[in-house]
Amino acid sequence: MLGPNGSGKTTWMKMVAGLVKPTNGEILYQGTPIGKESKKEIAYMSTEPYFYNMMTVSDVGKYYEDFFEDFSMEKYRQMISRMELTEDMKAKKLSSGMMAKLKIAVTMAREARLYLLDEPLNGIDLLARDQIMKSILEAIDPDVTLVVSSHLVDELERVADAAIFMKDGILANQNLVKKPPPEDAFPYGEGDLRRGLPDFGFAKFLFTAPFQNFLVQFFRLSLIVPAENNGIRVRTQDHNALGTVNR
């Protein structure tokens, strides 16, 4: 779900979650108005932190377990482990990125039919975003619906099936998403950069999707592996060679 600030993305999600009532019209879920029964199948993650300061990560899980019948403590513990959180961490001491991970973990620990994630990647560093999205997708069944609002189009285009565009509180457009190249192929260059690379850490890091996106966004660079000598040629996006790094 895409749209400028104030376009209605968050308001729409809060109405679907049953937290805000529409001023007119109605919203139906599975043919029935939003209410107590729909809340049992809809999991919503807001942009704002909503945990008490005295809570630990463990307390947050227990809090959700009390409220939602479909909450899985086992799944929650798996999620916080993936997010590199520990149960004794205090909510008030978490950074914005760690708080974002906690909100994702506790939301995705529900066995919902519809997940609404409002800007889930806000505050999460560039290199962790791919892993976070992978964890989200692995936490859900294939037949559920996941709606994500975000400004980070590059991070979501690999996993989204459709894009919904909001403007001034109305649905402006919707389209199916054309899938980009697979994750192990360089999205801005030619060929599979990881095949046949020298086995040292920095080379592997160079070809992670987040770092590629960083290069393209800030320096307008592309990386191509030429046929000769397994070198790495650094080019601008208009294919002007800047230099070559040999094996």
Side-chain angles (χ1 to χ4, degrees):
M1 178 169 283
L2 306 170
N5 292 335
S7 60
K9 302 186 300 296
T10 295
T11 301
W12 180 85
M13 285 192 172
K14 287 183 176 180
M15 288 192 296
V16 174
L19 301 177
V20 174
K21 291 186 178 181
T23 52
N24 56 67
E26 64 177 350
I27 298 177
L28 303 179
Y29 172 76
Q30 304 284 42
T32 60
I34 298 296
K36 182 179 179 180
E37 292 304 311
S38 66
K39 290 181 180 181
K40 294 179 180 179
E41 297 189 4
I42 299 174
Y44 168 63
M45 191 205 89
S46 72
T47 54
E48 307 90 357
Y50 45 86
F51 308 124
Y52 296 111
N53 287 335
M54 73 281 194
M55 282 183 167
T56 63
V57 170
S58 177
D59 293 332
V60 170
K62 294 174 183 176
Y63 184 71
Y64 260 62
E65 191 176 35
D66 287 342
F67 270 90
F68 301 105
E69 295 179 2
D70 63 354
F71 183 83
S72 168
M73 185 61 75
E74 180 183 358
K75 190 175 178 182
Y76 176 62
R77 291 191 175 112
Q78 292 173 352
M79 289 294 294
I80 61 174
S81 177
R82 290 181 183 179
M83 303 291 181
E84 300 180 338
L85 300 169
T86 60
E87 294 191 32
D88 60 346
M89 288 179 171
K90 288 277 191 179
K92 67 179 180 181
K93 294 184 178 180
L94 296 180
S95 66
S96 59
M98 294 171 74
M99 178 59 74
K101 292 179 180 181
L102 177 58
K103 291 191 298 180
I104 291 171
V106 75
T107 303
M108 302 309 299
R110 289 186 57 191
E111 300 293 342
R113 305 299 302 167
L114 171 62
Y115 294 88
L116 308 172
L117 306 184
D118 197 358
E119 300 283 358
L121 300 178
N122 272 10
I124 296 177
D125 63 86
L126 185 68
L127 297 180
R129 289 173 186 167
D130 278 356
Q131 183 58 43
I132 298 300
M133 284 306 304
K134 182 179 178 181
S135 296
I136 290 173
L137 295 175
E138 289 177 348
I140 59 176
D141 294 327
D143 58 343
V144 307
T145 300
L146 175 67
V147 180
V148 181
S149 73
S150 181
H151 296 95
L152 303 172
V153 180
D154 290 345
E155 307 296 337
L156 297 176
E157 64 177 347
R158 294 186 182 280
V159 299
D161 296 309
I164 301 171
F165 299 88
M166 299 284 291
K167 184 178 180 182
D168 298 329
I170 63 170
L171 176 64
N173 200 355
Q174 56 183 336
N175 293 287
L176 296 178
V177 175
K178 181 179 179 181
K179 297 297 183 184
E183 187 175 346
D184 61 352
F186 183 60
Y188 305 103
E190 301 170 1
D192 181 351
L193 295 183
R194 296 182 186 178
R195 187 177 299 127
L197 283 175
D199 188 19
F200 55 93
F202 183 66
K204 299 296 183 185
F205 169 72
L206 282 176
F207 304 113
T208 59
F211 189 72
Q212 293 165 15
N213 291 337
F214 172 78
L215 288 175
V216 171
Q217 182 177 355
F218 291 97
F219 298 106
R220 298 189 61 77
L221 299 180
S222 310
L223 299 178
I224 302 176
V225 177
E228 69 275 12
N229 72 23
N230 292 320
I232 301 167
R233 180 158 295 169
V234 182
R235 295 174 178 262
T236 61
Q237 284 183 293
D238 56 4
H239 301 295
N240 295 320
L242 299 180
T244 301
V245 180
N246 290 325
R247 187 185 183 100

